[in-house]
C-alpha cells in the first residue's frame, strides 16, 4: 500500500482565457480519478490570459493526463505536471557565505524542500563550509580564462547533475546570455537591493549616502537583462543614520537571506509561474 | 447596454470534500454562461471540508444558480451568492475617533467599498465628526438603562437600515449574546491587542510594564465569547522603552486603524469565510 | 506656580567633534538650573561632526542660554533651542485627499502635535473636506498663470501665518528653487516611491509592469533637487500579481499616509536634524 | 602604537535622577582624556531613575574610572565598564537546530560579535553539526538523573569557560532558580511566542486552532519566573489559514531565529540594560 503523500502532484496550466476552462480541466482530472486538494486560478485582465495551479491527489499517468488536458484546452495552452519530489539544485556562490550557509543549514535540517546536488564557486574560500555538510564542492576558477571558457566549464560541471534549478547565492560574476539560455527560467538570483536600485558599484555606500531608512533585497529569475528578470520575492529591513555603510551591508546580508529563502520556498513548491517579466505567485 | 462591472458576482461554497466538486460547480457555471475571472479553493485537511470562492462575470439568475449548484453538491452544502454592490454597514463607536474617523475618510474618498448608513454611539462626543461627513448619527445613551433595554434600542435603530455588517469601531460596551445573535457572523470588532492578550483593564499599561517591543491589534468577528471570535486580520507596530504607557496607547490607535481597515477590505470584498472559530481568507 | 510641561525645551547642537563637548554643554545646562530628561548624541565618523539633542526641564532664558553655549563650543557650532509648543504648519495639496484627510483627522484628534493654520491648493476639490474641520482653505489656481506668479501668490498667502513647516500632502506641482529657498529646510514632501524610484509618469503602472512584490513611500525634506532631499521616513506594503496598477496605486495611498505621518511625528518633535543630504533621527 | 579600536569602551550608569548627572559624568570622562563617540541617556519618569550608555575612545584605567565616577554619582549608582572584546558565550540546545545553526553560521562568518566557547545539550543529536564548525560539544544527558544533579553537571561544565552569557537556543528543559541565580542576568532565551502567549503544550497547535494571522517570537532574559523575564526583542511573521499547525511551527522557527539574532546583537553590543522586568535598549 502506497501512502497518500506519494500521490500528490501539481498541475500548472496557462492559456488564453475563455469560458469553461476550469470546468474542462477539472473534468479531465475527475475522469482520471484525481482529487483536487487545492486550486488557484488567476486571469490576467490585461493580456486576457488564464493561469491555474492545482494540487491533486491520486495516482497519475503524467503523459496521458497532459495529452487529455491538451485536448480540452486552446491550442496555445502551456501544461506542466510537477511531481512533489524535492527539486534538484546546484548553488553558485563566490566568497560570501551568509546566503549559502543559510541554504546549507535548511538543507541539513530538511527545511529546504530541495536537494542540493553540488555547490560551485569561482573561489576556494567556501569549500570548507560546504564540505562540513558533506556536499560536493567544485571550485572552478575564472582566473586567466575567457568568460565563455569559464562558463563552458561551469555548464559542463552542472551538466553532471540533472538539475531543476540553479541558485545564485551571491555569485558575483555576470552570466552571459548563453549561460542564461542553457538554464532558461531555471536560474534564481538574489539581488542586493530593491529594484529599481542604486546603479553601479557599492550600493550600500550609495544607500548610506542617500540616507535611506529602509533597505531591501530582491530574489528574481535571471534573464538576459542583468538584474531585470521576473521578481519572486522582496524583503526589507529598517536602517538608520547610526548605521555606517558597513552596518548597512550587514543588514543587507540579513535581508538577502530572508528574501532568497522566501523565493526558494515558493519556487520549490511550484507556486511560481513566470509570465513575461512578472511572476504569478500561487500562495 | 449594461457595462461589465454590473455583472460581476461572487459565489461561495462550502461542503464536505469529495472528488469532482470543482468540476461539477464549474459545470453549472459554464451552463449558466458565466466566465470565471478568479477562483480560489481550499480543502481543510483536518475536517475534510471543501471551500471555494469564485468571481464570475455574466448576467445571473441568482436563485436559479443556487438551486442548480445545490443539485450537484452534497446535501450539507452551504452556497452563497454575493453581488458586488457595496455592503451596507453601520458603525458603532463610543468616544474614541481614530477608527471611526479613518472609516469616514475612506468612505468619503470612495476607498471603503461599503456604504455607511449610520453611526451609533452611546455618547454624543463623536456626533460633530460624523455630521461633517453628512451621515446620520444616532446617540443612544446607556445611562440609567438596563443592558437589554439599551441593546433593544440599538437593534431597533439598526433595524431601520438593511445592514450587511455592523462594525464596532471602538465600541466600548460588552454586547449580550442576544445582540450578537441578532447579527450573527455580521459584527466585526477591533480588539486592542493580539490574541491571546493581556487580560483585564488597561492593556497598554500592562504592555508597558511587561516591556513588550511590539504591540498589535486584532480585527475579528464577534461571537458569544468576548474577544474570542474568528480572527480576520492582525497588525503590529514596534515600540520601545522610551514609550510611556500613553505613547503605547497612541501606537495602539495606529495599529487598530490599520488592522480594522485591512479586515474590512477583506470582508467587504467577500473574501472571508468563517469556519468554526477560524477564517479562510481568499485573498 | 507654573506646571512642569511649560518648561520643557529641546536643544539641538551640531559642530565639529572634539573632546569634552558633552561635558561643556551639560555644564552650561547645569549652571542654568536645567534638568536633562533625555539626551541623544551622535558623532558622524565620516565627517567628524558632533550632534546632540537634549530635552531639558526648567525655566529658560533662550537667548542667554544659546550665548552661553556658543562660548563653550567651537566657532562653527550650530545651536538651536526649540520650545515644545506645537509647530505651526500649512498643508499644500492638489486633489487627492488621503494624506490631507489623515492629517486633518489627527489634527482634530489632538494626535498631530502641530497646528494646521491653513490648507492651500491649486484646485477647489478639497475645500469642502477642509472646511468641515473648520480650517481655512485657500484655493490658488495655477491656470493661465506663470509658475513664478503662482508661487508668488502661494508665498504671499503662506506669509500671513508664521509657519514652522510647509507640508506637501500630494501637492502635484514642481516647486521652483525660489520657493524652496523661501522655506529652506522647512518643506516636507511625501513621495510615491522608494528612492531610488521608477522615474517618470505613472510609477504604479511601472511597478505593476515590473511585477514588484513590495511598494513603498518616502517622506523627505524638499531641496532644489526634485525628490532628492534628505529622507525622514520610509514605509512599505506588500503587493502581489493579483493587484492591478490601480490596486497598487491604492496600496500606495495607504503607505504614503503612513510614511508621512511617521515623518511628521519625528519632525514636529524636533527629533530630526538635516546633515547634508541625510537626516539624523534622535528617536 | 596601539590602533584606535583597541581603545573603545562602553560605560553604563544607572542611578536616581538628579540635576547635573550628565555634566558630572562627562566631566570625569573628559578628565580621563576620553572622547565620547556616542551617548544615550534615558530618564524613566515613572521611577525617576537615570540611565546612560556612553561609547568612549581612548586608553582607560577601568577601576580608576569607575571609582572616579562613583565619587560624582549618588550613592545608589550602578556603574559598569564594558570592554569591546567579543563576549564569551555558551549555547544550550536540545534537539532543534534552526537557532543553533544560525548562531554557528554567524559565528563562523564573524557576524555574531561573540565567541562561542562551547555548545551543551541534553541530547547527542546536534553534536555533528557543532563539530563541523570545530567547536566543543558537551552532551550531558538528563536521563535517570534528578534535575538538580543534571544542572550541577551543566554548571560544572559551563564553569570551565569564563562566560559572559549563556544562550538558550531552544533548550527545552526548565531551569531551576538555582541555575538561574548562577548566571543571573546572563541567560538569554528564545521563546516560541509573543508574550502573553498560548499557555501550555503545543502552542502552534493552539495558534492554528485560534486561527491567528501573525505569529511571533520573544527573546528575553531568564528570571525565576518561567518565560517572564525582561524582553529584549520580538519579531513576527504573517501566517494564514492555508498553513497547518506544522507549517506554523516552521514559520515559528524562522521568526525565532530572527528574534534571537536581533536580541543577541543588542546584548553583545552592550546596548541592553535590565531595569526591573523591562529592558532599556540603547540602539
Amino acid at each position: 500500500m502506497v501512502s497518500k503523500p506519494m500521490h500528490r502532484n501539481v498541475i500548472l496550466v496557462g492559456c488564453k482565457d475563455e469560458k469553461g476552462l476550469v470546468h474542462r480541466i477539472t473534468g479531465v482530472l475527475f475522469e482520471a480519478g484525481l482529487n483536487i486538494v487545492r486550486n488557484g486560478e488567476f486571469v490576467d485582465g490585461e493580456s486576457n490570459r488564464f493561469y491555474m495551479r492545482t494540487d491533486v491527489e491520486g495516482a497519475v499517468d503524467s503523459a496521458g493526463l497532459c495529452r487529455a488536458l491538451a485536448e480540452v484546452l486552446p491550442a496555445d495552452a502551456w501544461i506542466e505536471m510537477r511531481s512533489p519530489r524535492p527539486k534538484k539544485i546546484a548553488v553558485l556562490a563566490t566568497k560570501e557565505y551568509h546566503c549559502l550557509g543559510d541554504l546549507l543549514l535548511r538543507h541539513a535540517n530538511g527545511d529546504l524542500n530541495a536537494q542540493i546536488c553540488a555547490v560551485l564557486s569561482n573561489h576556494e574560500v567556501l569549500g570548507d563550509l560546504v564540505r562540513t555538510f558533506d556536499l560536493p564542492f567544485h571550485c572552478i576558477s575564472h582566473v586567466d580564462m575567457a568568460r565563455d571558457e569559464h562558463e563552458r566549464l561551469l555548464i559542463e560541471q552542472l551538466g553532471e547533475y540533472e538539475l531543476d534549478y540553479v541558485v545564485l547565492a551571491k555569485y558575483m560574476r555576470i552570466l552571459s546570455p548563453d549561460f542564461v539560455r542553457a538554464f532558461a527560467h531555471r536560474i534564481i538570483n538574489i539581488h542586493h537591493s530593491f529594484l529599481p536600485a542604486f546603479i553601479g558599484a557599492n550600493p550600500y555606500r550609495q544607500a548610506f549616502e542617500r540616507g535611506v531608512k529602509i533597505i531591501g533585497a530582491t530574489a528574481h529569475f535571471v534573464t538576459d537583462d542583468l538584474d531585470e528578470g521576473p521578481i519572486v520575492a522582496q524583503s526589507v529591513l529598517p536602517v538608520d543614520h547610526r548605521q555606517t555603510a558597513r552596518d548597512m551591508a550587514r543588514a543587507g546580508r540579513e535581508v538577502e537571506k530572508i528574501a532568497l529563502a522566501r523565493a526558494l520556498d515558493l519556487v520549490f513548491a511550484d507556486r511560481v509561474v513566470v509570465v513575461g517579466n512578472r511572476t504569478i505567485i500561487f500562495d
Side-chain angles (χ1 to χ4, degrees), chain A:
Chain A
M1 198 197 107
V2 182
S3 74
K4 263 177 159 181
M6 297 292 290
H7 285 302
R8 280 258 184 149
N9 282 280
V10 169
I11 296 161
L12 294 165
V13 169
C15 60
K16 79 178 171 52
D17 191 31
E18 57 182 51
K19 278 188 199 173
L21 288 173
V22 180
H23 182 55
R24 284 182 249 156
I25 294 168
T26 55
V28 170
L29 303 181
F30 181 66
E31 287 294 313
L34 299 170
N35 192 27
I36 297 177
V37 175
R38 190 159 145 181
N39 186 49
E41 191 221 333
F42 176 69
V43 172
D44 182 8
E46 304 241 329
S47 63
N48 199 37
R49 302 276 305 169
F50 166 95
Y51 299 95
M52 184 163 143
R53 178 193 183 279
T54 309
D55 274 295
V56 293
E57 228 170 46
V60 169
D61 160 21
S62 211
L65 191 72
C66 285
R67 266 196 313 274
L69 285 170
E71 271 168 37
V72 304
L73 291 174
D76 74 330
W78 154 83
I79 302 161
E80 267 194 56
M81 183 104 193
R82 308 256 181 98
S83 83
R85 65 163 177 75
K87 305 306 180 224
K88 298 176 77 172
I89 68 168
V91 181
L92 267 67
T94 293
K95 289 177 171 176
E96 294 172 81
Y97 79 84
H98 55 288
C99 283
L100 174 61
D102 190 57
L103 297 183
L104 293 171
L105 262 183
R106 286 172 196 272
H107 186 252
N109 207 8
D111 269 347
L112 188 63
N113 196 20
Q115 179 198 342
I116 299 179
C117 299
V119 176
L120 281 69
S121 176
N122 51 328
H123 287 275
E124 258 303 349
V125 65
L126 297 170
D128 282 349
L129 176 69
V130 176
R131 284 180 291 261
T132 60
F133 285 93
D134 281 326
L135 289 171
F137 176 79
H138 307 289
C139 175
I140 301 178
S141 172
H142 64 286
V143 175
D144 295 332
M145 203 177 285
R147 179 175 308 277
D148 58 349
E149 173 63 7
H150 184 243
E151 288 191 348
R152 209 185 46 73
L153 294 178
L154 288 176
I155 290 173
E156 206 172 281
Q157 184 63 64
L158 293 170
E160 295 199 4
Y161 310 96
E162 286 176 48
L163 298 172
D164 293 297
Y165 292 102
V166 173
V167 176
L168 308 183
K170 305 301 290 175
Y171 181 68
M172 303 310 277
R173 288 175 59 80
I174 292 171
L175 297 172
S176 74
D178 282 348
F179 187 99
V180 171
R181 216 164 295 128
F183 299 92
H185 299 302
R186 294 189 290 147
I187 311 176
I188 300 136
N189 184 44
I190 180 67
H191 182 82
H192 56 239
S193 171
F194 274 106
L195 298 169
F198 292 106
I199 305 292
N202 216 338
Y204 293 114
R205 179 78 218 170
Q206 290 184 67
F208 169 77
E209 285 178 357
R210 189 64 189 79
V212 298
K213 301 303 184 191
I214 289 177
I215 60 166
T218 302
H220 63 98
F221 284 103
V222 175
T223 56
D224 281 7
D225 279 330
L226 181 67
D227 296 333
E228 287 290 332
I231 295 169
V232 181
Q234 297 186 297
S235 293
V236 291
L237 279 181
V239 292
D240 69 30
H241 67 277
R242 290 166 296 206
Q243 290 177 274
T244 61
R246 192 163 159 263
D247 295 332
M248 285 197 185
R250 184 167 179 261
R253 288 197 289 274
E254 286 303 305
V255 81
E256 284 172 348
K257 260 171 32 182
I258 294 167
L260 181 59
R262 192 170 302 170
L264 295 185
D265 260 9
L266 293 168
V267 170
F268 296 164
D270 299 308
R271 301 199 174 287
V272 182
V273 172
V274 174
V275 178
N277 206 39
R278 304 171 62 227
T279 57
I280 295 175
I281 311 282
F282 289 105
D283 56 355

